Amino acid sequence: MTRHDVVIIGAGVFGIAAARTYLEVHPESDVIILESDDVLGGVWSRNRVYDDFWAQTPVGMLEFSDMPMKPPKEEDNYYGYFPAKYISSYLEDYTKSHSYDNKTIFERVIFKKRVSQVQKRGGLWITKCESTDAPFESTRLIVASGLTSKPKMPNYPGISTLKRPIVHQMDFGKSNIMSSPDIKNVVVLGGGKSAADLVYGLAKAGKSVTWLIRQTGCGPAFFIPAQGAGRYRNANENFFTGKAGAMSMSIFFPWRIVQWLFHSTRWGMNYVNKMWEGADQGNRLLAGYKTRESNGKGFEKLEPDTPIFWENDSTGTNQRPDFWETIAEKVHVYRQDITSMTDGTIKLHDGTVLTTDALVCGTGWESTFDYFSTSEAAKLGLSVPIDAQPSDIAAKWEKLEAEADSKVVKMFPRLASPPSHFKRPLTATPYRLYKAIAPLEDPSIAFVGNVTVGNAFLASECQGLWAVANMDGKLALPPKEEKEQDVALVNAWCRRRYLYKGRTGTWFYFDTVAYADSLITQLGLSSHKKSWYEEIYAPRMAEDVRPLLREYLHKQGLDEKARKDL
């Protein structure tokens, strides 16, 4: 057994940010990162990226605040969006350039260590890995395995007899599906942005592509155009502003009078409704779901089921000028459920039979921390099967969330009347972590990256600093009862605001800036602030949060530990 001060699980964006932040505050600490892959980067690792996998967050945002990313080549830059391969290189360079106590972050990563069990014993966290006899012991644990670690694979009747390659989006970059001349017909399963990237790339490579989206699911994603307007270079600069939090009914938006004005008065509600309806209709018209010619290939089936405001079917950015044209001209689209598979064929509910040489699954990820026991997971505030809750705990949270739901509807009356949408019976509890990071009673462990946001880099820096401050006892937190009420309020709001996607209580896509600011406010920091006008309208760039760590170190009297100008 090896003893360390801190063990971090996961060397993706959130794990790297947590390591850097902890070591800036505690530069002599023994910190290690356990990574299941043989490269770092998580979803951005070299093993996962491929040529047509592009970032949805633009240059200037998709980077850490203390080290700008080298601009991509002109041919790889579309309104600031760029291929994911640049992020892979950036993260490797970043970890090799940050050294503490003569050891870089990169040198602290232990590769090919898939965590199999975590438990707390005698005040210490014991982390066991599949390929290691001796477990890792630490006084503190930061879980940064995030939302993209365990592939969600379909389990349809006969899938084991398909006798064709079946590849998840996680492994597509390592596969030969794109290059193999023997693979001519490909079925891509899934309706989100990842599936869209796969479909587009395969179609451009000359494959015969069928895009299959389940009827009993959330449906196709919304794709907003990359172009910005006015002061905004691109769509993200428009969305990741203070005004986005105000207009999207964010529970994290701090100016309550503004919330009341826009979401409780007749004038304000009409204004916000028209704004979102305009965005919804404008994006539908640009895509041309009902007007674009596709020669009977089913292009119209890509129209999202719910308005863009609700995000029940997720949202992506269209970073290619020929995306819609390529899909309409070259891709067959089906909105059907699968009934069976066998020997290179996939049978659909309406009787259609698809022939394929490979099945590519853009089906997302399992939200799970299966290395914790169910009882430990429930104690920490992780999502667990509903029937695994003790009856008294279930009754307590049911009461808290019912009270919170009434507050949410009063605060945001529009959320009381959602559109018709896909939903399944709930089988698991929402997450019940305070600020989506910390258990209610144990500051020795933190969960970072367990949120869906529009900019992981911004969220990772803010979550990392908040987590370290909480571990060090530097936050003035409310008593447990008030934290429970806050958790219940966020969960009730998330279910109302994001419908089926919000059932976990961790879907904050349109709330990225407001959520980050809520963490910064609780830290008591303000060096990132601008004028009131810029706070509302200016996009939140990576460089804007650069002063925060230095301000925190100064506030805690740790300036001498800041060994470089942050």
Side-chain angles (χ1 to χ4, degrees), residues 153-169:
M153 292 296 290
N155 187 26
Y156 292 108
I159 193 169
S160 62
T161 65
L162 185 62
K163 299 179 183 178
R164 299 293 185 273
I166 302 173
V167 177
H168 188 267
Q169 63 198 71

PDB file of all heavy atoms in Angstrom, residues 153-169:
ATOM      1  N   MET A 153     -23.567   1.335 -23.993  1.00  0.00           N
ATOM      2  CA  MET A 153     -23.694   0.482 -25.177  1.00  0.00           C
ATOM      3  C   MET A 153     -25.105  -0.091 -25.285  1.00  0.00           C
ATOM      4  O   MET A 153     -25.720  -0.451 -24.276  1.00  0.00           O
ATOM      5  CB  MET A 153     -22.683  -0.659 -25.120  1.00  0.00           C
ATOM      6  CG  MET A 153     -21.239  -0.206 -25.266  1.00  0.00           C
ATOM      7  SD  MET A 153     -20.901   0.540 -26.888  1.00  0.00           S
ATOM      8  CE  MET A 153     -21.001  -0.887 -27.973  1.00  0.00           C
ATOM      9  N   PRO A 154     -25.648  -0.174 -26.488  1.00  0.00           N
ATOM     10  CA  PRO A 154     -26.994  -0.744 -26.663  1.00  0.00           C
ATOM     11  C   PRO A 154     -26.991  -2.239 -26.397  1.00  0.00           C
ATOM     12  O   PRO A 154     -25.963  -2.910 -26.533  1.00  0.00           O
ATOM     13  CB  PRO A 154     -27.310  -0.445 -28.124  1.00  0.00           C
ATOM     14  CG  PRO A 154     -25.977  -0.355 -28.797  1.00  0.00           C
ATOM     15  CD  PRO A 154     -25.051   0.242 -27.768  1.00  0.00           C
ATOM     16  N   ASN A 155     -28.150  -2.749 -26.027  1.00  0.00           N
ATOM     17  CA  ASN A 155     -28.273  -4.184 -25.755  1.00  0.00           C
ATOM     18  C   ASN A 155     -29.555  -4.706 -26.407  1.00  0.00           C
ATOM     19  O   ASN A 155     -30.506  -5.085 -25.735  1.00  0.00           O
ATOM     20  CB  ASN A 155     -28.297  -4.435 -24.245  1.00  0.00           C
ATOM     21  CG  ASN A 155     -28.263  -5.912 -23.906  1.00  0.00           C
ATOM     22  OD1 ASN A 155     -27.767  -6.724 -24.681  1.00  0.00           O
ATOM     23  ND2 ASN A 155     -28.818  -6.267 -22.763  1.00  0.00           N
ATOM     24  N   TYR A 156     -29.559  -4.680 -27.727  1.00  0.00           N
ATOM     25  CA  TYR A 156     -30.744  -5.086 -28.471  1.00  0.00           C
ATOM     26  C   TYR A 156     -30.751  -6.597 -28.711  1.00  0.00           C
ATOM     27  O   TYR A 156     -29.690  -7.242 -28.726  1.00  0.00           O
ATOM     28  CB  TYR A 156     -30.785  -4.361 -29.812  1.00  0.00           C
ATOM     29  CG  TYR A 156     -31.013  -2.875 -29.685  1.00  0.00           C
ATOM     30  CD1 TYR A 156     -29.978  -1.978 -29.942  1.00  0.00           C
ATOM     31  CD2 TYR A 156     -32.251  -2.371 -29.298  1.00  0.00           C
ATOM     32  CE1 TYR A 156     -30.181  -0.612 -29.821  1.00  0.00           C
ATOM     33  CE2 TYR A 156     -32.455  -1.003 -29.168  1.00  0.00           C
ATOM     34  CZ  TYR A 156     -31.426  -0.128 -29.434  1.00  0.00           C
ATOM     35  OH  TYR A 156     -31.621   1.216 -29.304  1.00  0.00           O
ATOM     36  N   PRO A 157     -31.935  -7.170 -28.905  1.00  0.00           N
ATOM     37  CA  PRO A 157     -32.001  -8.607 -29.198  1.00  0.00           C
ATOM     38  C   PRO A 157     -31.167  -8.959 -30.434  1.00  0.00           C
ATOM     39  O   PRO A 157     -31.274  -8.309 -31.473  1.00  0.00           O
ATOM     40  CB  PRO A 157     -33.506  -8.830 -29.466  1.00  0.00           C
ATOM     41  CG  PRO A 157     -34.200  -7.736 -28.715  1.00  0.00           C
ATOM     42  CD  PRO A 157     -33.276  -6.558 -28.794  1.00  0.00           C
ATOM     43  N   GLY A 158     -30.312  -9.940 -30.275  1.00  0.00           N
ATOM     44  CA  GLY A 158     -29.506 -10.418 -31.387  1.00  0.00           C
ATOM     45  C   GLY A 158     -28.235  -9.641 -31.641  1.00  0.00           C
ATOM     46  O   GLY A 158     -27.512  -9.949 -32.604  1.00  0.00           O
ATOM     47  N   ILE A 159     -27.916  -8.652 -30.798  1.00  0.00           N
ATOM     48  CA  ILE A 159     -26.730  -7.837 -31.083  1.00  0.00           C
ATOM     49  C   ILE A 159     -25.457  -8.679 -31.091  1.00  0.00           C
ATOM     50  O   ILE A 159     -24.513  -8.383 -31.839  1.00  0.00           O
ATOM     51  CB  ILE A 159     -26.621  -6.665 -30.083  1.00  0.00           C
ATOM     52  CG1 ILE A 159     -25.571  -5.652 -30.578  1.00  0.00           C
ATOM     53  CG2 ILE A 159     -26.313  -7.150 -28.675  1.00  0.00           C
ATOM     54  CD1 ILE A 159     -25.581  -4.347 -29.818  1.00  0.00           C
ATOM     55  N   SER A 160     -25.443  -9.741 -30.295  1.00  0.00           N
ATOM     56  CA  SER A 160     -24.255 -10.601 -30.264  1.00  0.00           C
ATOM     57  C   SER A 160     -24.109 -11.430 -31.534  1.00  0.00           C
ATOM     58  O   SER A 160     -23.042 -11.998 -31.790  1.00  0.00           O
ATOM     59  CB  SER A 160     -24.310 -11.531 -29.044  1.00  0.00           C
ATOM     60  OG  SER A 160     -25.439 -12.387 -29.124  1.00  0.00           O
ATOM     61  N   THR A 161     -25.160 -11.482 -32.333  1.00  0.00           N
ATOM     62  CA  THR A 161     -25.099 -12.257 -33.577  1.00  0.00           C
ATOM     63  C   THR A 161     -25.000 -11.358 -34.811  1.00  0.00           C
ATOM     64  O   THR A 161     -25.153 -11.848 -35.942  1.00  0.00           O
ATOM     65  CB  THR A 161     -26.339 -13.159 -33.715  1.00  0.00           C
ATOM     66  OG1 THR A 161     -27.514 -12.338 -33.843  1.00  0.00           O
ATOM     67  CG2 THR A 161     -26.496 -14.062 -32.509  1.00  0.00           C
ATOM     68  N   LEU A 162     -24.772 -10.063 -34.619  1.00  0.00           N
ATOM     69  CA  LEU A 162     -24.665  -9.145 -35.755  1.00  0.00           C
ATOM     70  C   LEU A 162     -23.478  -9.515 -36.642  1.00  0.00           C
ATOM     71  O   LEU A 162     -23.505  -9.323 -37.857  1.00  0.00           O
ATOM     72  CB  LEU A 162     -24.540  -7.699 -35.261  1.00  0.00           C
ATOM     73  CG  LEU A 162     -24.527  -6.619 -36.332  1.00  0.00           C
ATOM     74  CD1 LEU A 162     -25.833  -6.606 -37.122  1.00  0.00           C
ATOM     75  CD2 LEU A 162     -24.257  -5.241 -35.724  1.00  0.00           C
ATOM     76  N   LYS A 163     -22.426 -10.010 -36.032  1.00  0.00           N
ATOM     77  CA  LYS A 163     -21.226 -10.465 -36.749  1.00  0.00           C
ATOM     78  C   LYS A 163     -20.567  -9.350 -37.567  1.00  0.00           C
ATOM     79  O   LYS A 163     -20.038  -9.595 -38.658  1.00  0.00           O
ATOM     80  CB  LYS A 163     -21.557 -11.656 -37.660  1.00  0.00           C
ATOM     81  CG  LYS A 163     -22.076 -12.873 -36.932  1.00  0.00           C
ATOM     82  CD  LYS A 163     -22.398 -14.002 -37.894  1.00  0.00           C
ATOM     83  CE  LYS A 163     -22.979 -15.198 -37.169  1.00  0.00           C
ATOM     84  NZ  LYS A 163     -23.350 -16.283 -38.109  1.00  0.00           N
ATOM     85  N   ARG A 164     -20.647  -8.157 -37.062  1.00  0.00           N
ATOM     86  CA  ARG A 164     -20.019  -6.998 -37.682  1.00  0.00           C
ATOM     87  C   ARG A 164     -19.371  -6.167 -36.579  1.00  0.00           C
ATOM     88  O   ARG A 164     -19.778  -6.245 -35.416  1.00  0.00           O
ATOM     89  CB  ARG A 164     -21.042  -6.144 -38.448  1.00  0.00           C
ATOM     90  CG  ARG A 164     -21.751  -6.855 -39.590  1.00  0.00           C
ATOM     91  CD  ARG A 164     -20.809  -7.209 -40.720  1.00  0.00           C
ATOM     92  NE  ARG A 164     -21.524  -7.777 -41.866  1.00  0.00           N
ATOM     93  CZ  ARG A 164     -21.828  -9.057 -42.026  1.00  0.00           C
ATOM     94  NH1 ARG A 164     -21.476  -9.926 -41.073  1.00  0.00           N
ATOM     95  NH2 ARG A 164     -22.458  -9.482 -43.109  1.00  0.00           N
ATOM     96  N   PRO A 165     -18.370  -5.356 -36.903  1.00  0.00           N
ATOM     97  CA  PRO A 165     -17.760  -4.515 -35.868  1.00  0.00           C
ATOM     98  C   PRO A 165     -18.801  -3.613 -35.198  1.00  0.00           C
ATOM     99  O   PRO A 165     -19.628  -2.999 -35.883  1.00  0.00           O
ATOM    100  CB  PRO A 165     -16.729  -3.687 -36.644  1.00  0.00           C
ATOM    101  CG  PRO A 165     -16.443  -4.489 -37.874  1.00  0.00           C
ATOM    102  CD  PRO A 165     -17.719  -5.181 -38.221  1.00  0.00           C
ATOM    103  N   ILE A 166     -18.756  -3.557 -33.877  1.00  0.00           N
ATOM    104  CA  ILE A 166     -19.621  -2.671 -33.101  1.00  0.00           C
ATOM    105  C   ILE A 166     -18.701  -1.777 -32.276  1.00  0.00           C
ATOM    106  O   ILE A 166     -17.968  -2.263 -31.412  1.00  0.00           O
ATOM    107  CB  ILE A 166     -20.572  -3.457 -32.179  1.00  0.00           C
ATOM    108  CG1 ILE A 166     -21.440  -4.411 -33.002  1.00  0.00           C
ATOM    109  CG2 ILE A 166     -21.447  -2.494 -31.374  1.00  0.00           C
ATOM    110  CD1 ILE A 166     -22.286  -5.353 -32.156  1.00  0.00           C
ATOM    111  N   VAL A 167     -18.707  -0.483 -32.565  1.00  0.00           N
ATOM    112  CA  VAL A 167     -17.741   0.439 -31.968  1.00  0.00           C
ATOM    113  C   VAL A 167     -18.464   1.614 -31.325  1.00  0.00           C
ATOM    114  O   VAL A 167     -19.330   2.235 -31.950  1.00  0.00           O
ATOM    115  CB  VAL A 167     -16.750   0.968 -33.040  1.00  0.00           C
ATOM    116  CG1 VAL A 167     -15.787   1.979 -32.433  1.00  0.00           C
ATOM    117  CG2 VAL A 167     -15.984  -0.195 -33.668  1.00  0.00           C
ATOM    118  N   HIS A 168     -18.114   1.903 -30.100  1.00  0.00           N
ATOM    119  CA  HIS A 168     -18.637   3.091 -29.413  1.00  0.00           C
ATOM    120  C   HIS A 168     -17.819   4.315 -29.832  1.00  0.00           C
ATOM    121  O   HIS A 168     -16.655   4.193 -30.247  1.00  0.00           O
ATOM    122  CB  HIS A 168     -18.555   2.899 -27.896  1.00  0.00           C
ATOM    123  CG  HIS A 168     -19.230   3.974 -27.106  1.00  0.00           C
ATOM    124  ND1 HIS A 168     -18.557   5.082 -26.636  1.00  0.00           N
ATOM    125  CD2 HIS A 168     -20.517   4.118 -26.705  1.00  0.00           C
ATOM    126  CE1 HIS A 168     -19.406   5.861 -25.979  1.00  0.00           C
ATOM    127  NE2 HIS A 168     -20.600   5.299 -26.012  1.00  0.00           N
ATOM    128  N   GLN A 169     -18.420   5.483 -29.721  1.00  0.00           N
ATOM    129  CA  GLN A 169     -17.727   6.721 -30.076  1.00  0.00           C
ATOM    130  C   GLN A 169     -16.398   6.875 -29.357  1.00  0.00           C
ATOM    131  O   GLN A 169     -15.450   7.483 -29.881  1.00  0.00           O
ATOM    132  CB  GLN A 169     -18.618   7.923 -29.745  1.00  0.00           C
ATOM    133  CG  GLN A 169     -18.942   8.068 -28.256  1.00  0.00           C
ATOM    134  CD  GLN A 169     -20.128   8.968 -27.979  1.00  0.00           C
ATOM    135  OE1 GLN A 169     -21.258   8.603 -28.258  1.00  0.00           O
ATOM    136  NE2 GLN A 169     -19.881  10.145 -27.410  1.00  0.00           N
TER     137      GLN A 169
END
